Amino acid sequence: METTVRSFVTILHGLLFGGFFLMAVYGFGFEFCRTSFMKKPVILTDRGLRIERAYLILVVAVSWVVVISGAFIIYPWYRAVPPPGTTDLSLYPRRFLMSSPTTSGWHNLGMEWKEHVAWMAAISMTVVAYLLTKYRAVMKEHPQIRIAVLVFIATAFFSASIAGVFGVMLNKHAPIQGGTNIQLMKESK
Amino acid sequence: MTDLQMREERFPDRSGLANGSAAAAILAAGFGCFILGVLALAADISKAFANLLIFYEPTGPLSGVTCSSISLWLLTWLILARRWNGKTVAIVKINALAFALLSFGLLLTFPPFMDSLQGK
């Protein structure tokens, strides 16, 4: 299973970290809504609280890894400028997309939106983690904080979804590739 | 004064935990998202401003837009937290303002809306 370094890093960014983040945010939203209908508040053991806090920190850390790797590692590969006279634009995704009116929309809408909105997912999830850590036990007495948690979870999910969907479509139409070839798994003869 | 009386004086709401810290985090996040949208729009409008925001050449103006937004978000959070920590504030109004800033910030990142503001 051969791929290139750039392609592999892009897969890690989008499918592993981004995909995990989307699922985690959905899970938080579902669980948070479910607790609204509990007759008795959920009381975790000390160990349970530590695990929950560690998981929150992990999800927040993943969100920042996704956006930082996207903007500062993968985006430079995407927007690389081809040398003069280059006819094969396959290693220059942005130029490739912009070279035709049938594909330029993927950049003008997809990348132009994704590159900014994704950061709102990271900001939102950081706030959610902070509020859930500090106010978890007293959330029922603070309905406004509860509303804010729901709004920011929804924002994180929406933002990450936009970034994820357009990321997939952009990589489908103009794959990030290049760098050293690597073998993920060798075929047995 | 007993420990309980001191606690109730410091945290006057029923839960015993003031909402000031939460309000600071919420408003700062809304503001951070808004600033991100504003800087994105400004970089799109003005090539000169976009060049000012090139903190890391391979990433281009996006590097400055994101670094500046995150810095301003964190700074706002720090300032508000210092002001409101341990206090009970008007969180309904703060939520409303934060959500308005968040919504407008989200809208500003949407390219067709950005273009419509510029008359494109």
Side-chain angles (χ1 to χ4, degrees):
Chain A
M1 285 172 13
E2 188 178 82
T3 187
T4 64
V5 167
R6 293 186 181 185
S7 183
F8 185 65
V9 170
T10 305
I11 287 169
L12 288 180
H13 157 83
L15 288 182
L16 183 64
F17 296 124
F20 167 77
F21 177 72
L22 255 179
M23 286 192 290
V25 172
Y26 177 79
F28 274 122
F30 180 84
E31 179 62 23
F32 196 70
C33 290
R34 199 172 73 94
T35 58
S36 305
F37 303 99
M38 286 186 173
K39 289 181 181 176
K40 291 180 184 177
V42 172
I43 301 173
L44 295 177
T45 60
D46 286 346
R47 188 159 187 265
L49 281 171
R50 281 199 301 274
I51 292 172
E52 187 183 70
R53 187 167 298 182
Y55 184 63
L56 275 169
I57 292 171
L58 174 68
V59 174
V60 170
V62 164
S63 72
W64 288 105
V65 166
V66 172
V67 293
I68 291 171
S69 66
F72 292 95
I73 297 176
I74 296 163
Y75 188 62
W77 295 335
Y78 172 83
R79 70 190 292 268
V81 177
T86 302
T87 52
D88 180 10
L89 296 175
S90 59
L91 292 180
Y92 307 95
R94 182 186 174 193
R95 290 299 171 100
F96 175 76
L97 291 173
M98 297 301 282
S99 66
S100 167
T102 60
T103 56
S104 60
W106 289 118
H107 171 78
N108 292 331
L109 177 64
M111 181 53 84
E112 291 288 335
W113 195 5
K114 160 185 166 66
E115 69 191 39
H116 296 116
V117 80
W119 291 83
M120 296 187 179
I123 293 172
S124 298
M125 198 58 216
T126 304
V127 171
V128 166
Y130 175 77
L131 295 175
L132 286 179
T133 301
K134 184 150 185 174
Y135 290 87
R136 194 192 194 289
V138 296
M139 198 64 77
K140 276 198 181 297
E141 283 81 32
H142 291 276
Q144 287 297 315
I145 297 175
R146 187 177 173 74
I147 289 169
V149 169
L150 282 169
V151 167
F152 281 109
I153 286 176
T155 302
F157 187 75
F158 173 76
S159 304
S161 298
I162 293 296
V165 165
F166 280 116
V168 165
M169 297 311 292
L170 281 161
N171 207 45
K172 185 175 171 61
H173 289 278
I176 303 283
Q177 47 190 350
T180 316
N181 281 355
I182 53 175
Q183 294 283 345
L184 295 178
M185 192 187 297
K186 283 189 178 170
E187 288 287 319
S188 56
K189 291 184 182 177
Chain B
M1 191 183 285
T2 64
D3 284 345
L4 180 61
Q5 284 171 326
M6 285 170 68
R7 192 162 181 267
E8 282 176 347
E9 191 173 271
R10 194 167 175 230
F11 303 123
D13 64 305
R14 288 182 298 148
S15 70
L17 189 62
N19 63 14
S21 301
I26 292 163
L27 185 57
F31 177 73
C33 293
F34 174 72
I35 284 295
L36 180 66
V38 167
L39 288 176
L41 176 64
D44 202 42
I45 289 173
S46 165
K47 188 85 177 149
F49 188 71
N51 287 336
L52 279 177
L53 290 174
I54 299 176
F55 291 3
Y56 178 58
E57 180 66 44
T59 299
L62 180 65
S63 57
V65 168
T66 53
C67 289
S68 302
S69 306
I70 300 306
S71 301
L72 287 170
W73 161 53
L74 293 173
L75 182 64
T76 304
W77 191 353
L78 179 68
I79 293 170
L80 290 175
R82 285 192 165 185
R83 284 179 69 101
W84 293 346
N85 197 27
K87 295 179 183 172
T88 299
V89 298
I91 197 163
V92 173
K93 288 181 184 175
I94 286 167
N95 265 9
L97 177 59
F99 298 158
L101 289 170
L102 174 65
S103 302
F104 202 51
L106 272 171
L107 208 51
L108 283 174
T109 65
F110 186 48
F113 183 74
M114 260 206 274
D115 291 344
S116 71
L117 287 179
Q118 299 173 64
K120 289 182 184 175

